[in-house]
Amino acid sequence: MRTPFPRQAWRRRQEELALAVLHQLTCVAEEIRNANLLMLHRITAEQVDRAIADPALAAAMSTLRELSDHKRRQVLFVNREYSAILLGHRIGAYGWEELIGHLRVLARNPVFAEYWETTREHRLSLPRHSLEARVSDVVNVIVDELADDPDEWWVVGSEDERDS
């Protein structure tokens, strides 16, 4: 003989199942979002590869003026590297501190430093709350710190922050 669930237990079980389904749906939506970000990055990277291989395409892709073909290719490539680092953070491959660590290493590259300075005005149009704007603010500090003391590139934060 089958004993029916009390009404309250049945309702609780239904709520648990609904929450589990909602959690799974949220996970699937995040996976789709990440897959879309990866596909967009792949498409962009392929375009950059073509531009690096062909100076005419590099000139069409770049908004920076008065660059030699060689320098334009370097700038496109370093922008691609920067984008890949941001993508890694966006899809959860690494957290904020790791993102900053990767950017701190990239900022040591003189081509990146030149690219960063050349594109400073480009970043002014970013929405202030966006990830790219927040990262831009941090990279500006990193680049300035490196200009002041290039031998201390690995040091994160001010002395006060490290002592606490």
Side-chain angles (χ1 to χ4, degrees):
M1 181 167 194
R2 191 171 165 196
T3 308
F5 279 100
R7 193 171 198 92
Q8 188 178 14
W10 181 82
R11 186 172 291 167
R12 193 174 337 124
R13 180 68 181 139
Q14 290 301 102
E15 288 173 0
E16 289 171 359
L17 288 173
L19 287 173
V21 168
L22 181 61
H23 175 73
Q24 289 298 316
L25 184 59
T26 302
C27 290
V28 169
E30 184 68 18
E31 287 181 28
I32 290 170
R33 177 187 167 276
N34 288 344
N36 287 338
L37 285 171
L38 288 166
M39 182 58 71
L40 176 61
H41 182 78
R42 186 174 294 125
I43 291 167
T44 303
E46 288 171 1
Q47 289 176 317
V48 171
D49 287 346
R50 286 186 203 117
I52 289 171
D54 183 342
L57 295 178
M61 180 176 265
S62 177
T63 60
L64 302 175
R65 298 171 193 240
E66 301 177 17
L67 294 179
S68 68
D69 288 342
H70 178 75
K71 181 58 73 177
R72 187 175 316 280
R73 288 176 175 150
Q74 287 181 321
V75 165
L76 288 170
F77 187 82
V78 81
N79 176 262
R80 180 179 171 194
E81 290 302 300
Y82 172 71
S83 297
I85 290 170
L86 280 180
L87 176 67
H89 176 70
R90 279 190 177 111
I91 65 170
Y94 41 81
W96 180 257
E97 294 300 322
E98 290 172 289
L99 168 68
I100 301 308
H102 287 294
L103 293 171
R104 186 172 290 284
V105 171
L106 183 61
R108 292 191 67 221
N109 182 300
V111 175
F112 178 82
E114 185 177 350
Y115 153 78
W116 197 255
E117 181 58 36
T118 304
T119 58
R120 187 174 294 271
E121 287 187 25
H122 291 72
R123 292 184 298 281
L124 294 177
S125 65
L126 295 171
R128 292 309 314 153
H129 64 280
S130 69
L131 172 65
E132 281 206 57
R134 290 182 293 142
V135 169
S136 175
D137 291 343
V138 172
V139 174
N140 287 339
V141 171
I142 291 170
V143 169
D144 290 346
E145 287 176 351
L146 284 171
D148 291 342
D149 194 354
D151 294 331
E152 296 281 326
W153 68 270
W154 51 271
V155 178
V156 178
S158 66
E159 283 186 44
D160 295 336
E161 292 170 338
R162 289 191 307 274
D163 292 338
S164 48

